[in-house]
Amino acid sequence: MFTGLIREVGRVAAVDGGAEGVRLTIDAPETARGARLGDSIALSGVCLTVVDCSDGRLAFDAVPETLARSSLQTLEPGSRVNVEPALRAGEPLGGHYVQGHVDGVGRVASVREDGFARRIEIEAPPELLRYVIEKGSIAVDGVSLTVSAVVSRSFTVSLIPETLQRTNLGQAAPGDRVNLEVDVLAKYVEKLMAGVR
């Protein structure tokens, strides 16, 4: 379980493998200091397991299913990724409940300045957009955000300077692919209501 509050922005040091899966090595010294083998850590919203940890670097294995459902397949050395360790018992929940189970990939449609904030419009598949509501929560590349508007094929989020500085969304540009995780509560409600006649 995660909160969508990013610990640090890491950089991809290596991507090794192919269609059968890849090993991602990430420079993330702040997170690596407290990490152990087997820990769950989210990379741009994707929950992965630490398989190696040394010298400020973390390594993860991403299987074909993970690559097919996320933007991790596009990573290359130098790419920036949001890094968040799993929520530990007793820690404050400052964002919203994020599972690290990416529902799909969206595409940045537009980026525009809005005072000291920045508004990002993201196109999303219809099967995900149905769960997105104005003022609801969504995780974009693992970042817990509040939806400011929803239209037929996209939604908009407004990013404060702190988010722009502390996450990879500060570099987001039209055409970029981003991992999306909708609020899990919406999916549970839908399933429960399906049984009500």
Side-chain angles (χ1 to χ4, degrees), residues 36-138:
R36 295 176 303 200
L37 293 180
D39 280 358
S40 293
I41 293 179
L43 293 185
S44 290
V46 181
C47 179
L48 296 170
T49 301
V50 176
V51 297
D52 192 20
C53 179
S54 61
D55 300 324
R57 287 185 167 178
L58 299 165
F60 308 88
D61 290 335
V63 299
E65 170 72 5
T66 302
L67 297 172
R69 287 187 172 262
S70 73
S71 67
L72 296 186
Q73 62 184 290
T74 64
L75 293 179
E76 55 190 30
S79 295
R80 293 162 47 95
V81 291
N82 294 325
V83 181
E84 181 190 358
L87 180 66
R88 298 191 190 280
E91 290 182 334
L93 178 64
H96 73 280
Y97 285 115
V98 176
Q99 295 182 296
H101 303 161
V102 169
D103 292 304
V105 177
R107 188 185 71 82
V108 175
S110 67
V111 178
R112 63 184 174 86
E113 303 303 317
D114 185 21
F116 61 71
R118 188 174 300 161
R119 292 174 63 85
I120 299 181
E121 180 187 3
I122 299 169
E123 293 177 348
E127 63 271 18
L128 297 187
L129 203 56
R130 64 191 280 178
Y131 299 112
V132 181
I133 62 167
E134 188 173 332
K135 303 307 177 195
S137 297
I138 192 162

Side-chain angles (χ1 to χ4, degrees), residues 5-10 30 80-83 143 160-170:
L5 301 181
I6 303 307
R7 167 76 55 85
E8 69 179 310
V9 176
E30 184 179 340
R80 293 162 47 95
V81 291
N82 294 325
V83 181
V143 182
I160 63 172
E162 177 74 4
T163 303
L164 295 170
Q165 180 180 354
R166 293 186 55 84
T167 74
N168 69 355
L169 296 181

Side-chain angles (χ1 to χ4, degrees), residues 126-128 130-131 182-196:
E127 63 271 18
L128 297 187
R130 64 191 280 178
Y131 299 112
V182 298
D183 192 341
V184 68
L185 295 177
K187 293 189 283 187
Y188 280 124
V189 168
E190 179 184 60
K191 181 162 180 129
L192 290 169
M193 293 305 291
V196 176

Side-chain angles (χ1 to χ4, degrees), residues 2-16:
F2 303 90
T3 66
L5 301 181
I6 303 307
R7 167 76 55 85
E8 69 179 310
V9 176
R11 286 200 180 269
V12 176
V15 179
D16 300 300

